[in-house]
Amino acid sequence: MQDVKVSICIACHNQANFLSEAVVSCALQDYSNIEIIILDDASTDFIQNSWVKLLPKVKMFRSEEPSVSGEAFNKSITHATGDIIVLL
């Protein structure tokens, strides 16, 4: 089962206060074959990108314009390489 890669997609707009907890929660799961895709959806608050340096499982992307309903998740999915995609 560990050969199945899971992509966890997190779309975030002005929720920097909660993003750290979400990333840590994903990274500490028992299942280890994961990647965490963070899409910063044109946030105006500071979104820390140090996870990219600390955790090789994390990939971070930024959208320059805010998305409409559901579009941010669709953008994050385009960066996913997993066999299974999970939206957080």
Side-chain angles (χ1 to χ4, degrees):
M1 178 75 177
Q2 285 287 336
D3 58 329
V4 176
K5 186 175 184 180
V6 177
S7 296
I8 303 170
C9 297
I10 304 171
C12 185
H13 177 77
N14 291 339
Q15 297 294 322
N17 295 342
F18 303 104
L19 189 58
S20 227
E21 186 176 350
V23 171
V24 169
S25 175
C26 293
L28 293 178
Q29 295 299 309
D30 290 337
Y31 192 81
S32 62
N33 193 7
I34 65 169
E35 68 177 353
I36 303 167
I37 308 293
I38 301 169
L39 180 76
D40 175 1
D41 192 30
S43 296
T44 56
D45 59 355
F46 176 71
I47 294 198
Q48 187 177 18
N49 63 1
S50 60
W51 303 290
V52 177
K53 296 174 186 169
L54 296 173
L55 299 170
K57 299 177 181 186
V58 176
K59 298 176 187 172
M60 188 167 198
F61 303 93
R62 178 168 168 78
S63 178
E64 296 302 321
E65 296 290 323
S67 303
V68 295
S69 178
E71 186 181 10
F73 278 119
N74 290 340
K75 288 178 185 178
S76 68
I77 290 170
T78 64
H79 299 287
T81 61
D83 303 302
I84 298 172
I85 296 174
V86 177
L87 303 178
L88 180 66

